[in-house]
Amino acid sequence: MSTESRRPLEDGQRVRYYRLNTEDVEFIQKVLDYRQRQREERERKRQDEQE
């Protein structure tokens, strides 16, 4: 995951703020959703086989 940063001058001190790249966050969320659906499907199949 990549980050974006900025360095505003606050109270005479240099402070660096980091945030995650929005596109990366969206992609990762899609991957996690896909993996969750896969786990649920495997669990359903396992339960069906036990019945």
Side-chain angles (χ1 to χ4, degrees):
M1 290 177 53
S2 61
T3 58
E4 299 170 355
S5 65
R6 60 186 180 95
R7 292 180 77 168
L9 186 61
E10 291 184 5
D11 299 329
Q13 296 181 359
R14 288 294 227 178
V15 178
R16 185 171 288 235
Y17 292 100
Y18 291 95
R19 70 178 189 188
L20 295 173
N21 185 321
T22 306
E23 293 171 356
D24 288 351
V25 172
E26 291 172 358
F27 174 74
I28 290 168
Q29 186 62 51
K30 288 178 184 178
V31 169
L32 292 174
D33 290 343
Y34 172 78
R35 289 179 179 177
Q36 180 64 34
R37 286 193 309 271
Q38 295 295 93
R39 280 193 295 272
E40 291 170 354
E41 183 64 29
R42 283 194 303 272
E43 180 63 23
R44 269 189 237 116
K45 285 180 180 178
R46 189 183 66 79
Q47 287 179 0
D48 287 347
E49 290 174 355
Q50 286 181 351
E51 293 176 354

